[in-house]
Amino acid sequence: MGALSGREVLKASAAAAGALFASASRAAAPEPTAITPSLVEAARKEGKLFYYTSVDLPLAEKIAKSFEAAYPGIAVRVERSGAERVFQRIGQEYASRIYGVDVVNSSDAAHFIVWKRDGILAPFVPADVAMHYPADHKDADGMFASFRVSLSPIAYNTDLVKREEAPKSFADLLDPKWTGKIVKAHPSYSGTILTATFQIVRELGWGYFEKLAKQKVMQVQSATDPPKKLALGERAVMADGGEYNVLQSKESGGPLEVVYPTEGTPLVVGPNGVFKNAPNPNAARLFQCYCFTPECQQLIVEFGGLRSMHPLVKDKGGRTAFRDIKTMKEDPAGVERTSEDIKARYSKLFGV
Protein backbone atom coordinates (compact mmCIF):
# COMPACT_ATOMS: atom_id res chain seq x y z
CA MET A 1 0.00 0.00 0.00
CA GLY A 2 1.50 3.31 -1.08
CA ALA A 3 1.33 6.77 0.41
CA LEU A 4 -1.53 9.15 -0.26
CA SER A 5 -0.31 10.04 -3.73
CA GLY A 6 -0.61 6.40 -4.78
CA ARG A 7 -4.38 6.12 -4.36
CA GLU A 8 -6.33 4.66 -7.25
CA VAL A 9 -9.17 6.55 -8.84
CA LEU A 10 -12.61 5.36 -7.75
CA LYS A 11 -15.84 5.78 -9.68
CA ALA A 12 -18.15 8.47 -8.42
CA SER A 13 -20.70 7.42 -5.83
CA ALA A 14 -23.72 8.98 -4.18
CA ALA A 15 -22.98 12.07 -2.12
CA ALA A 16 -24.06 10.58 1.17
CA ALA A 17 -22.58 8.83 4.18
CA GLY A 18 -24.12 5.61 2.94
CA ALA A 19 -21.79 5.63 -0.05
CA LEU A 20 -18.93 4.54 2.18
CA PHE A 21 -20.77 1.67 3.79
CA ALA A 22 -22.43 0.41 0.62
CA SER A 23 -19.26 0.32 -1.45
CA ALA A 24 -17.48 -2.74 -2.81
CA SER A 25 -19.45 -5.36 -0.91
CA ARG A 26 -17.82 -8.76 -1.29
CA ALA A 27 -19.58 -11.17 1.01
CA ALA A 28 -21.90 -11.33 3.98
CA ALA A 29 -20.53 -9.84 7.16
CA PRO A 30 -19.33 -12.34 9.78
CA GLU A 31 -21.49 -13.29 12.73
CA PRO A 32 -21.53 -10.61 15.45
CA THR A 33 -19.13 -10.99 18.37
CA ALA A 34 -20.20 -10.29 21.93
CA ILE A 35 -17.86 -9.59 24.83
CA THR A 36 -17.43 -12.97 26.53
CA PRO A 37 -15.19 -14.26 29.34
CA SER A 38 -13.20 -16.28 26.81
CA LEU A 39 -12.53 -13.20 24.64
CA VAL A 40 -11.48 -11.19 27.71
CA GLU A 41 -9.15 -13.97 28.85
CA ALA A 42 -7.55 -14.26 25.41
CA ALA A 43 -7.07 -10.49 25.32
CA ARG A 44 -5.48 -10.52 28.79
CA LYS A 45 -2.91 -13.05 27.61
CA GLU A 46 -1.81 -10.54 24.97
CA GLY A 47 -1.84 -7.78 27.58
CA LYS A 48 -1.87 -4.78 25.27
CA LEU A 49 -3.08 -3.24 22.02
CA PHE A 50 -2.09 -0.35 19.79
CA TYR A 51 -4.76 2.18 18.91
CA TYR A 52 -3.99 4.60 16.07
CA THR A 53 -6.43 7.50 16.14
CA SER A 54 -6.98 11.09 15.07
CA VAL A 55 -9.29 12.12 17.93
CA ASP A 56 -7.86 14.75 20.25
CA LEU A 57 -5.31 13.22 22.64
CA PRO A 58 -7.23 13.88 25.89
CA LEU A 59 -10.26 12.04 24.50
CA ALA A 60 -8.14 9.20 23.11
CA GLU A 61 -6.52 8.76 26.52
CA LYS A 62 -9.91 8.93 28.24
CA ILE A 63 -11.17 6.10 26.02
CA ALA A 64 -8.03 4.09 26.76
CA LYS A 65 -8.30 4.60 30.53
CA SER A 66 -11.99 3.69 30.49
CA PHE A 67 -11.21 0.44 28.67
CA GLU A 68 -8.30 -0.36 31.00
CA ALA A 69 -10.55 0.19 34.03
CA ALA A 70 -13.15 -2.17 32.58
CA TYR A 71 -10.55 -4.81 31.63
CA PRO A 72 -7.57 -4.64 34.01
CA GLY A 73 -4.39 -6.18 32.68
CA ILE A 74 -4.82 -4.92 29.11
CA ALA A 75 -2.96 -1.70 28.28
CA VAL A 76 -4.00 0.56 25.43
CA ARG A 77 -1.08 2.25 23.67
CA VAL A 78 -2.50 5.37 22.03
CA GLU A 79 -0.80 6.62 18.87
CA ARG A 80 -2.48 9.95 18.11
CA SER A 81 -1.88 12.12 15.04
CA GLY A 82 -3.82 13.88 12.30
CA ALA A 83 -5.84 11.51 10.14
CA GLU A 84 -3.69 12.01 7.04
CA ARG A 85 -0.55 11.32 9.08
CA VAL A 86 -2.15 8.18 10.52
CA PHE A 87 -2.95 7.02 6.99
CA GLN A 88 0.58 7.70 5.77
CA ARG A 89 2.13 5.95 8.77
CA ILE A 90 0.09 2.79 8.27
CA GLY A 91 0.92 2.83 4.56
CA GLN A 92 4.63 3.11 5.30
CA GLU A 93 4.51 0.41 7.98
CA TYR A 94 2.64 -2.05 5.78
CA ALA A 95 4.94 -1.33 2.83
CA SER A 96 7.80 -2.37 5.14
CA ARG A 97 5.83 -5.34 6.53
CA ILE A 98 5.68 -3.72 9.94
CA TYR A 99 2.38 -4.57 11.58
CA GLY A 100 2.11 -2.21 14.52
CA VAL A 101 -1.56 -1.17 14.48
CA ASP A 102 -4.36 -3.22 16.06
CA VAL A 103 -7.36 -0.88 15.82
CA VAL A 104 -7.62 2.34 13.84
CA ASN A 105 -9.93 5.33 13.97
CA SER A 106 -9.75 8.00 11.28
CA SER A 107 -11.70 11.17 10.69
CA ASP A 108 -11.16 10.62 6.95
CA ALA A 109 -13.64 7.86 6.13
CA ALA A 110 -12.11 7.58 2.65
CA HIS A 111 -9.14 5.80 4.28
CA PHE A 112 -11.37 2.82 4.94
CA ILE A 113 -12.20 2.57 1.26
CA VAL A 114 -8.47 2.21 0.56
CA TRP A 115 -7.77 -0.20 3.42
CA LYS A 116 -10.73 -2.37 2.50
CA ARG A 117 -9.79 -2.38 -1.17
CA ASP A 118 -6.21 -3.34 -0.24
CA GLY A 119 -7.52 -6.27 1.82
CA ILE A 120 -5.80 -5.34 5.08
CA LEU A 121 -8.85 -4.91 7.32
CA ALA A 122 -10.25 -7.85 9.29
CA PRO A 123 -13.98 -8.60 8.99
CA PHE A 124 -15.30 -8.20 12.52
CA VAL A 125 -18.71 -7.08 13.77
CA PRO A 126 -19.24 -6.09 17.42
CA ALA A 127 -22.60 -7.15 18.82
CA ASP A 128 -23.67 -3.55 19.44
CA VAL A 129 -23.01 -2.63 15.82
CA ALA A 130 -25.08 -5.56 14.56
CA MET A 131 -27.95 -4.89 16.97
CA HIS A 132 -28.18 -1.12 17.01
CA TYR A 133 -26.39 0.64 14.16
CA PRO A 134 -28.22 1.73 11.01
CA ALA A 135 -27.12 0.14 7.74
CA ASP A 136 -25.60 3.38 6.46
CA HIS A 137 -23.19 3.43 9.40
CA LYS A 138 -21.79 -0.11 9.16
CA ASP A 139 -19.90 -1.74 6.33
CA ALA A 140 -21.84 -4.49 4.55
CA ASP A 141 -18.83 -6.80 4.84
CA GLY A 142 -18.24 -6.03 8.52
CA MET A 143 -14.91 -4.26 8.01
CA PHE A 144 -15.72 -1.06 9.93
CA ALA A 145 -18.48 1.06 11.44
CA SER A 146 -19.04 4.67 12.49
CA PHE A 147 -17.31 5.02 15.85
CA ARG A 148 -17.96 8.76 15.85
CA VAL A 149 -19.63 11.48 13.88
CA SER A 150 -18.40 15.03 14.15
CA LEU A 151 -18.96 18.41 12.58
CA SER A 152 -16.69 21.18 11.33
CA PRO A 153 -18.51 24.43 12.15
CA ILE A 154 -17.55 28.06 12.50
CA ALA A 155 -16.86 29.40 16.02
CA TYR A 156 -15.83 32.64 17.68
CA ASN A 157 -14.29 34.01 20.86
CA THR A 158 -17.04 35.68 22.88
CA ASP A 159 -14.55 38.06 24.53
CA LEU A 160 -13.55 39.40 21.14
CA VAL A 161 -16.79 39.17 19.14
CA LYS A 162 -20.30 40.20 20.15
CA ARG A 163 -23.01 37.64 19.44
CA GLU A 164 -24.91 40.01 17.13
CA GLU A 165 -21.74 40.69 15.14
CA ALA A 166 -20.61 37.07 14.84
CA PRO A 167 -20.57 35.42 11.40
CA LYS A 168 -23.57 33.25 10.62
CA SER A 169 -22.38 31.74 7.36
CA PHE A 170 -19.24 30.83 5.44
CA ALA A 171 -19.99 33.81 3.19
CA ASP A 172 -19.82 36.12 6.22
CA LEU A 173 -16.17 35.18 6.75
CA LEU A 174 -15.32 37.05 3.54
CA ASP A 175 -16.29 40.36 5.12
CA PRO A 176 -13.20 42.64 5.29
CA LYS A 177 -13.79 43.11 9.04
CA TRP A 178 -12.46 39.59 9.60
CA THR A 179 -9.17 40.19 7.78
CA GLY A 180 -6.34 38.97 9.99
CA LYS A 181 -8.76 37.59 12.58
CA ILE A 182 -9.45 34.08 11.23
CA VAL A 183 -7.76 30.77 12.05
CA LYS A 184 -8.08 27.66 9.92
CA ALA A 185 -6.77 24.08 9.82
CA HIS A 186 -5.13 22.31 6.85
CA PRO A 187 -6.56 19.50 4.66
CA SER A 188 -3.14 17.95 4.11
CA TYR A 189 -2.86 17.19 7.83
CA SER A 190 -6.41 16.74 9.06
CA GLY A 191 -8.95 14.24 7.73
CA THR A 192 -11.74 16.34 9.22
CA ILE A 193 -10.58 19.38 7.28
CA LEU A 194 -9.98 17.41 4.08
CA THR A 195 -13.57 16.16 4.28
CA ALA A 196 -14.88 19.63 5.16
CA THR A 197 -12.93 21.22 2.31
CA PHE A 198 -14.34 18.70 -0.17
CA GLN A 199 -17.89 19.42 0.97
CA ILE A 200 -17.46 23.20 0.92
CA VAL A 201 -15.91 23.10 -2.56
CA ARG A 202 -18.80 20.95 -3.76
CA GLU A 203 -21.38 23.36 -2.33
CA LEU A 204 -19.68 26.77 -2.72
CA GLY A 205 -16.92 26.23 -5.28
CA TRP A 206 -13.20 26.99 -5.20
CA GLY A 207 -14.05 30.66 -5.60
CA TYR A 208 -14.96 30.73 -1.91
CA PHE A 209 -11.49 29.58 -0.85
CA GLU A 210 -9.85 31.96 -3.33
CA LYS A 211 -11.56 34.84 -1.52
CA LEU A 212 -10.95 33.40 1.96
CA ALA A 213 -7.24 33.05 1.23
CA LYS A 214 -7.06 36.84 0.87
CA GLN A 215 -8.26 37.31 4.45
CA LYS A 216 -4.77 36.84 5.98
CA VAL A 217 -5.82 33.59 7.64
CA MET A 218 -3.71 32.01 10.39
CA GLN A 219 -3.00 28.50 9.11
CA VAL A 220 -2.64 25.63 11.60
CA GLN A 221 -2.57 21.86 11.16
CA SER A 222 -5.06 19.72 13.07
CA ALA A 223 -8.82 20.33 13.32
CA THR A 224 -8.19 20.46 17.07
CA ASP A 225 -5.94 23.55 16.72
CA PRO A 226 -8.36 26.35 15.69
CA PRO A 227 -10.46 26.06 18.88
CA LYS A 228 -7.27 26.26 20.93
CA LYS A 229 -6.19 29.44 19.13
CA LEU A 230 -9.65 30.91 19.74
CA ALA A 231 -9.58 30.05 23.44
CA LEU A 232 -6.18 31.76 23.78
CA GLY A 233 -7.51 34.85 22.04
CA GLU A 234 -4.95 34.59 19.23
CA ARG A 235 -7.76 34.83 16.67
CA ALA A 236 -11.38 35.96 16.95
CA VAL A 237 -13.02 33.50 14.56
CA MET A 238 -12.33 30.00 13.24
CA ALA A 239 -13.32 29.08 9.69
CA ASP A 240 -13.23 25.36 10.43
CA GLY A 241 -12.22 22.92 13.16
CA GLY A 242 -13.65 20.25 15.43
CA GLU A 243 -17.06 20.97 16.91
CA TYR A 244 -16.23 18.72 19.83
CA ASN A 245 -13.18 20.79 20.75
CA VAL A 246 -15.29 23.94 20.80
CA LEU A 247 -17.92 22.27 22.99
CA GLN A 248 -15.28 20.92 25.36
CA SER A 249 -13.70 24.34 25.75
CA LYS A 250 -17.02 26.14 26.14
CA GLU A 251 -18.27 23.70 28.78
CA SER A 252 -15.01 24.13 30.69
CA GLY A 253 -15.62 27.86 30.90
CA GLY A 254 -13.78 28.93 27.77
CA PRO A 255 -15.00 32.02 25.87
CA LEU A 256 -16.13 30.09 22.80
CA GLU A 257 -19.40 29.83 20.91
CA VAL A 258 -20.18 27.54 18.01
CA VAL A 259 -21.93 28.66 14.81
CA TYR A 260 -23.63 26.21 12.46
CA PRO A 261 -23.39 28.05 9.13
CA THR A 262 -26.55 28.69 7.14
CA GLU A 263 -25.11 26.92 4.08
CA GLY A 264 -24.85 23.72 6.13
CA THR A 265 -22.15 22.34 8.43
CA PRO A 266 -19.62 19.84 7.03
CA LEU A 267 -20.33 16.35 8.38
CA VAL A 268 -17.44 14.02 9.21
CA VAL A 269 -17.83 10.28 9.83
CA GLY A 270 -14.99 8.62 11.74
CA PRO A 271 -15.07 4.81 11.51
CA ASN A 272 -13.17 2.23 13.56
CA GLY A 273 -11.66 -0.91 12.07
CA VAL A 274 -9.48 -3.87 13.08
CA PHE A 275 -6.47 -4.81 10.96
CA LYS A 276 -6.03 -8.31 9.57
CA ASN A 277 -2.39 -8.42 10.72
CA ALA A 278 -3.11 -6.94 14.15
CA PRO A 279 -0.26 -7.96 16.50
CA ASN A 280 -2.76 -8.39 19.36
CA PRO A 281 -5.84 -9.75 17.60
CA ASN A 282 -7.90 -10.72 20.64
CA ALA A 283 -7.22 -7.48 22.49
CA ALA A 284 -8.05 -5.67 19.24
CA ARG A 285 -11.42 -7.43 18.96
CA LEU A 286 -12.26 -6.76 22.60
CA PHE A 287 -11.37 -3.09 22.22
CA GLN A 288 -13.40 -2.81 19.03
CA CYS A 289 -16.40 -4.33 20.83
CA TYR A 290 -15.94 -1.95 23.74
CA CYS A 291 -15.73 1.12 21.49
CA PHE A 292 -19.30 0.55 20.29
CA THR A 293 -20.89 -0.16 23.66
CA PRO A 294 -23.32 2.42 25.09
CA GLU A 295 -20.77 3.06 27.85
CA CYS A 296 -17.98 4.10 25.49
CA GLN A 297 -20.31 5.88 23.07
CA GLN A 298 -21.82 7.92 25.91
CA LEU A 299 -18.29 8.80 27.00
CA ILE A 300 -17.35 10.22 23.60
CA VAL A 301 -20.56 12.28 23.65
CA GLU A 302 -20.32 13.51 27.26
CA PHE A 303 -16.58 14.03 27.59
CA GLY A 304 -15.63 14.32 23.95
CA GLY A 305 -18.46 16.40 22.50
CA LEU A 306 -18.81 14.00 19.58
CA ARG A 307 -22.00 12.61 18.03
CA SER A 308 -22.94 8.93 18.27
CA MET A 309 -25.02 6.75 15.97
CA HIS A 310 -25.89 4.37 18.83
CA PRO A 311 -29.63 4.82 19.51
CA LEU A 312 -29.23 4.15 23.24
CA VAL A 313 -26.86 7.11 23.63
CA LYS A 314 -28.32 10.48 24.57
CA ASP A 315 -27.25 13.99 23.58
CA LYS A 316 -25.71 16.00 26.38
CA GLY A 317 -27.98 18.75 27.72
CA GLY A 318 -27.26 22.29 26.61
CA ARG A 319 -26.01 21.31 23.18
CA THR A 320 -27.84 21.76 19.89
CA ALA A 321 -29.37 18.41 19.00
CA PHE A 322 -27.83 16.72 15.98
CA ARG A 323 -31.25 16.46 14.32
CA ASP A 324 -31.61 20.26 14.48
CA ILE A 325 -28.39 21.02 12.61
CA LYS A 326 -28.39 21.46 8.85
CA THR A 327 -25.46 19.41 7.60
CA MET A 328 -23.68 18.92 4.32
CA LYS A 329 -23.51 15.38 2.95
CA GLU A 330 -20.64 12.96 3.33
CA ASP A 331 -19.11 11.41 0.20
CA PRO A 332 -15.99 9.48 1.26
CA ALA A 333 -15.50 8.07 -2.25
CA GLY A 334 -15.52 11.60 -3.60
CA VAL A 335 -12.93 12.63 -1.01
CA GLU A 336 -10.79 9.62 -1.91
CA ARG A 337 -11.05 10.44 -5.60
CA THR A 338 -10.13 14.13 -5.32
CA SER A 339 -7.93 14.32 -2.20
CA GLU A 340 -4.66 15.02 -3.98
CA ASP A 341 -6.17 17.77 -6.09
CA ILE A 342 -7.78 19.34 -3.00
CA LYS A 343 -4.49 19.39 -1.09
CA ALA A 344 -2.53 20.79 -4.02
CA ARG A 345 -5.03 23.53 -4.87
CA TYR A 346 -5.51 24.48 -1.24
CA SER A 347 -1.77 24.71 -0.56
CA LYS A 348 -1.29 26.88 -3.64
CA LEU A 349 -4.09 29.23 -2.59
CA PHE A 350 -3.01 29.62 1.03
CA GLY A 351 0.72 29.41 0.37
CA VAL A 352 1.28 26.58 2.86
Side-chain angles (χ1 to χ4, degrees):
M1 175 174 146
L4 288 170
S5 59
R7 290 175 168 182
E8 298 175 16
V9 175
L10 291 181
K11 294 181 179 179
S13 63
L20 170 66
F21 298 92
S23 66
S25 182
R26 298 169 182 170
E31 288 296 314
T33 297
I35 296 176
T36 61
S38 61
L39 177 59
V40 174
E41 182 58 30
R44 281 206 175 102
K45 289 180 180 177
E46 293 168 350
K48 64 183 181 299
L49 66 102
F50 294 89
Y51 183 44
Y52 289 19
T53 181
S54 59
V55 298
D56 204 14
L57 186 59
L59 176 57
E61 291 179 338
K62 187 79 169 180
I63 294 166
K65 285 181 175 22
S66 176
F67 174 83
E68 291 169 351
Y71 303 102
I74 310 169
V76 180
R77 312 286 173 82
V78 173
E79 298 289 339
R80 192 273 161 192
S81 189
E84 304 311 305
R85 298 293 184 268
V86 169
F87 182 79
Q88 290 169 353
R89 175 175 175 174
I90 291 173
Q92 291 163 357
E93 288 180 352
Y94 266 68
S96 302
R97 296 186 179 181
I98 296 171
Y99 306 122
V101 56
D102 287 299
V103 179
V104 69
N105 170 259
S106 175
S107 57
D108 186 347
H111 294 162
F112 289 82
I113 293 176
V114 178
W115 290 325
K116 178 178 178 178
R117 186 177 65 217
D118 289 347
I120 61 175
L121 292 175
F124 181 75
V125 181
D128 272 283
V129 169
M131 292 170 58
H132 298 294
Y133 276 62
D136 59 354
H137 282 279
K138 56 187 176 185
D139 176 54
D141 298 320
M143 300 291 185
F144 49 85
S146 296
F147 170 67
R148 57 178 168 127
V149 173
S150 59
L151 300 169
S152 181
I154 295 169
Y156 63 94
N157 182 304
T158 57
D159 290 339
L160 301 176
V161 181
K162 296 178 181 179
R163 180 181 294 272
E164 61 271 20
E165 297 176 354
K168 296 177 175 58
S169 66
F170 288 117
D172 286 348
L173 296 177
L174 305 181
D175 190 310
K177 74 179 183 180
W178 300 121
T179 302
K181 298 179 180 179
I182 300 172
V183 61
K184 190 179 182 310
H186 203 294
S188 289
Y189 182 88
S190 166
T192 292
I193 304 307
L194 177 61
T195 296
T197 303
F198 170 85
Q199 292 176 20
I200 293 170
V201 167
R202 184 188 62 207
E203 301 299 324
L204 306 181
W206 276 106
Y208 167 73
F209 284 111
E210 290 171 4
K211 294 172 183 175
L212 186 65
K214 297 175 182 178
Q215 290 286 70
K216 298 181 181 178
V217 174
M218 174 190 279
Q219 184 68 64
V220 292
Q221 290 188 323
S222 173
T224 67
D225 292 334
K228 295 172 185 176
K229 296 298 184 182
L230 281 193
L232 291 171
E234 293 185 24
R235 285 296 185 273
V237 176
M238 77 175 201
D240 58 23
E243 178 204 32
Y244 72 99
N245 307 103
V246 176
L247 294 176
Q248 285 176 326
S249 182
K250 177 184 175 180
E251 291 166 3
S252 297
L256 301 191
E257 187 58 70
V258 66
V259 174
Y260 302 105
T262 55
E263 299 96 338
T265 304
L267 174 71
V268 184
V269 174
N272 257 34
V274 175
F275 278 86
K276 187 179 293 184
N277 289 322
N280 306 286
N282 293 299
R285 294 184 182 100
L286 178 62
F287 185 73
Q288 180 78 336
C289 284
Y290 177 77
C291 282
F292 290 95
T293 60
E295 177 185 356
C296 186
Q297 288 291 299
Q298 195 68 55
L299 183 152
I300 70 170
V301 169
E302 296 280 344
F303 177 82
L306 291 164
R307 310 289 180 161
S308 172
M309 291 298 103
H310 200 305
L312 300 182
V313 173
K314 303 184 185 311
D315 281 329
K316 185 174 181 178
R319 297 175 183 169
T320 302
F322 184 56
R323 65 178 177 274
D324 295 332
I325 300 170
K326 178 184 176 183
T327 61
M328 294 182 179
K329 294 184 180 294
E330 264 264 282
D331 180 8
V335 176
E336 202 275 345
R337 187 178 64 251
T338 61
S339 63
E340 294 309 312
D341 179 63
I342 288 172
K343 294 171 189 176
R345 292 188 68 171
Y346 183 95
S347 294
K348 184 175 181 180
L349 282 176
F350 286 85
V352 287

